[in-house]
Amino acid sequence: MNSNLISQVIHTPKNSLYSTIYNSFYDNLRITSNFKPSIIFTPTNESQIQAAVHCSKIHDLQIRIRSGGHDYEGLSYISKTPFVVIDLRNLRSISIDTEKKTAWIQAGATIGEVYYRIAEKSKKLAFVAGVCPTVGVGGHFSGGGYGMMSRKFGTATDNIIDAKLIDANGRIQDRESMGEDIFWAIRGGGGTSFGLIISWKVKLLDIPEKVTVFNVPRTLEQNATQLVYKWQHIADKVDDNLLLRLFVRNSEFPFGGGQRAIYAFFTTMFVGGVDELLHEMQHRFPELGLVKDGCIEMSWIESILFFANFPRGTSLDVLLDRTNQIGFFKGKSDFVQRPISINGLEGIWKLLNQLLSENSGAELQFSPYGGKLSDIAESEIPFPHRAGNIFMIEYAVYWGEIENSQSNIAWIRELYEYMGKYVSKYPRAAYFNYRDLDLGMNNKGNTSYEQAKIWGEKYFKNNFDRLVKVKTKIDPTNFFRNEQSIPPQLS
């Protein structure tokens, strides 16, 4: 498609196809639909994106880039100024080299598709990224990418070895041509601040043919408080092959039936066999009472389905389904550097019990650190959350009716305020992939360094200054921007 044709499409009246595509964006229905794009563009090749960049400049339109649509605050598909959505769903090819143990992955692929294609080629290679198969590679990889093997292999971003992006001048750049500063910035600093990522090259990871998983639930009556307290003291210190993730939920029993309770789910992956896992658990965490019958040995690709909550025996083809669940949702995040006291945990349970609106639920996801996550220096890539952290928390609240939005958002903000005394400080850090506009926003036009620093240091800590310098180098006119994009240093 040439730029003249794009120019015509931008001014074409909205039609039923537009409505179908646009409405499918709404993974988070609380995001207002008042700010709709002038066009949704679904390119099939790189030259079409280059033309779209050129045309958007001519018509003074912002670009928003959508890969999988999981942006927590909808920044990939809404804007308060005239804009175009470039939806990368057609750019999702995955090329795997099993001999060199590498893969080129286009940014429109989902991580479910990535996992599926790797497993097609090899039973002994894998990749580390998130657990939700419909998350898009483009945003997930550029912001971090924590997964169930991160204590052994780091984040997805830690395993990127090359990339291709289109800059504000429409040029296609790879690692060699963009230079190490820009390549550094897009690995954890958010790709959409610096250009449009077309594809990533990653190194694939050696794994055994079998891994071991378990999911052990405990209620408060089953000593969950003491177990969570103990978990905090060992989760970052266990064998690097073991990732003991913890989910605390306010949900109906058992996931239905009308009776609400607080559950702690110890959801775990061990890169190895069940006997090794039991030995480590009996040594580090005997209080959980894990037994062999509670563990399942399976292939790595089967574990992807397990952690995505698919029933045992589900066809791997489900990983190719890009359909997202639709609902109302708000998320926030924190990093914890000292164990939360028993009293602190009981305060969390109290707040969870105050979430009373109909068809609502809440979850705290505790993701442990240690291992490879803590071995890498804070400045190695923009993702700075390394040694010193015990675990990361994701707070999530979800609900069924739009009229309950205000009360549920107020509730999660109250929980976040309560947690302030138990989490990281100076700055109170946050995970960029759990985007949270409560931390601060840019102006509609250019934003000062001082204003952006308020939220920027929470996500990137001391790396924010270097990100601003890189932004100034590659995109001094701030063409690629959103409510939480890195600003250039204004003269």
Side-chain angles (χ1 to χ4, degrees):
M1 185 181 290
N2 61 43
S3 60
N4 288 331
L5 183 53
I6 295 174
S7 227
Q8 294 167 13
V9 174
I10 285 178
H11 298 291
T12 299
K14 301 172 179 61
N15 53 37
S16 59
L17 176 61
Y18 172 98
S19 299
T20 300
I21 296 175
Y22 186 72
N23 289 335
S24 74
F25 283 9
Y26 277 85
D27 311 315
N28 186 357
L29 287 177
R30 74 179 175 82
I31 303 297
T32 178
S33 61
N34 294 331
F35 309 109
K36 295 186 178 181
S38 301
I39 182 175
I40 298 169
F41 182 42
T42 54
T44 57
N45 60 56
E46 297 168 356
S47 64
Q48 291 176 354
I49 301 175
Q50 291 173 295
V53 169
H54 175 69
C55 191
S56 297
K57 280 187 169 182
I58 292 174
H59 292 280
D60 195 24
L61 292 167
Q62 276 194 34
I63 284 179
R64 297 297 168 104
I65 306 157
R66 183 182 189 271
S67 177
H70 279 257
D71 192 313
Y72 277 22
E73 297 284 13
L75 304 187
S76 62
Y77 51 81
I78 64 166
S79 175
K80 294 183 180 181
T81 59
F83 73 111
V84 172
V85 169
I86 298 181
D87 186 331
L88 300 175
R89 65 179 63 201
N90 293 326
L91 297 175
R92 60 177 192 265
S93 72
I94 300 164
S95 176
I96 294 167
D97 187 328
T98 55
E99 289 189 7
K100 295 182 178 179
K101 300 179 183 178
T102 61
W104 271 107
I105 304 165
Q106 285 191 307
T110 64
I111 57 175
E113 290 171 326
V114 173
Y115 296 150
Y116 182 95
R117 298 304 175 196
I118 294 171
E120 264 189 330
K121 297 288 187 180
S122 173
K123 294 181 179 180
K124 295 185 177 182
L125 293 174
F127 192 67
V128 58
V131 299
C132 183
T134 57
V135 169
V137 162
H140 187 62
F141 285 12
S142 70
Y146 187 103
M148 292 302 298
M149 299 191 295
S150 283
R151 296 191 69 254
K152 183 172 181 64
F153 296 117
T155 66
T157 307
D158 293 323
N159 293 282
I160 292 168
I161 54 178
D162 204 344
K164 290 183 180 179
L165 68 78
I166 295 177
D167 66 20
N169 294 313
R171 297 172 301 193
I172 297 177
Q173 308 252 29
D174 62 8
R175 179 174 183 173
E176 183 178 2
S177 63
M178 75 176 76
E180 289 302 304
D181 278 347
I182 297 168
F183 184 63
W184 173 87
I186 62 175
R187 289 177 296 150
T192 54
S193 288
F194 308 99
L196 192 155
I197 307 294
I198 306 168
S199 57
W200 300 102
K201 186 179 184 181
V202 303
K203 61 180 178 182
L204 302 179
L205 308 165
D206 293 309
I207 53 161
E209 290 198 21
K210 294 292 182 181
V211 300
T212 308
V213 302
F214 67 79
N215 184 33
V216 175
R218 294 287 186 263
T219 64
L220 298 186
E221 291 73 25
Q222 294 172 316
N223 209 27
T225 304
Q226 291 293 336
L227 290 173
V228 172
Y229 182 70
K230 173 63 183 288
W231 174 92
Q232 296 178 95
H233 291 80
I234 58 96
D236 64 323
K237 300 177 180 67
V238 296
D239 188 301
D240 292 358
N241 289 302
L242 176 59
L243 193 144
L244 273 165
R245 212 167 196 175
L246 169 63
F247 297 83
V248 177
R249 296 180 182 133
N250 173 2
S251 56
E252 295 178 351
F253 174 80
F255 319 115
Q259 182 180 351
R260 280 186 175 273
I262 292 174
Y263 294 83
F265 293 85
F266 297 86
T267 305
T268 295
M269 179 170 185
F270 181 72
V271 186
V274 63
D275 292 334
E276 296 173 88
L277 169 61
L278 286 171
H279 180 270
E280 180 69 6
M281 288 295 293
Q282 288 162 3
H283 172 60
R284 293 287 192 175
F285 200 12
E287 295 86 349
L288 188 61
L290 182 68
V291 295
K292 193 168 188 175
D293 287 347
C295 304
I296 312 171
E297 285 189 338
M298 57 177 60
S299 66
W300 163 74
I301 194 65
E302 289 174 322
S303 78
I304 298 299
L305 299 184
F306 178 85
F307 294 119
N309 295 316
F310 289 109
R312 194 85 192 273
T314 298
S315 168
L316 293 179
D317 290 347
V318 73
L319 296 175
L320 303 178
D321 184 356
R322 297 175 66 93
T323 306
N324 294 337
Q325 293 183 346
I326 296 175
F328 302 93
F329 168 85
K330 171 66 180 174
K332 301 177 81 67
S333 63
D334 263 319
F335 288 84
V336 177
Q337 296 166 340
R338 291 181 298 176
I340 301 168
S341 66
I342 293 289
N343 286 340
L345 294 175
E346 289 175 343
I348 297 173
W349 312 158
K350 182 179 178 180
L351 282 165
L352 283 169
N353 281 324
Q354 291 175 5
L355 186 68
L356 298 176
S357 65
E358 190 175 354
N359 296 322
S360 66
E363 175 180 277
L364 276 67
Q365 179 176 289
F366 293 16
S367 298
Y369 261 66
K372 185 77 169 180
L373 285 165
S374 300
D375 290 343
I376 298 171
E378 284 190 4
S379 60
E380 182 72 19
I381 61 173
F383 179 89
H385 313 293
R386 302 295 184 177
N389 294 304
I390 302 174
F391 58 96
M392 171 176 62
I393 305 178
E394 179 198 13
Y395 312 94
V397 62
Y398 42 91
W399 59 98
E401 284 79 32
I402 186 66
E403 56 266 25
N404 292 327
S405 295
Q406 187 173 352
S407 61
N408 282 284
I409 292 172
W411 176 85
I412 198 171
R413 287 171 176 165
E414 181 182 357
L415 173 62
Y416 185 76
E417 182 178 358
Y418 168 80
M419 291 297 295
K421 55 185 172 291
Y422 299 111
V423 298
S424 61
K425 298 175 178 62
Y426 315 116
R428 182 176 181 176
Y431 178 31
F432 187 69
N433 275 358
Y434 296 151
R435 186 88 70 155
D436 182 8
L437 291 183
D438 290 350
L439 303 180
M441 286 187 282
N442 296 337
N443 299 327
K444 289 184 184 179
N446 287 324
T447 293
S448 71
Y449 166 84
E450 289 74 19
Q451 183 178 348
K453 187 177 180 179
I454 294 170
W455 58 262
E457 284 194 336
K458 295 177 185 295
Y459 290 134
F460 307 116
K461 299 175 73 171
N462 292 331
N463 293 331
F464 179 69
D465 286 347
R466 184 176 173 188
L467 288 169
V468 170
K469 292 176 182 177
V470 175
K471 171 70 171 183
T472 307
K473 177 181 178 181
I474 190 173
D475 185 20
T477 63
N478 205 22
F479 175 71
F480 289 103
R481 65 183 185 275
N482 60 48
E483 287 80 353
Q484 283 188 343
S485 58
I486 303 295
Q489 187 71 58
L490 301 176
S491 60

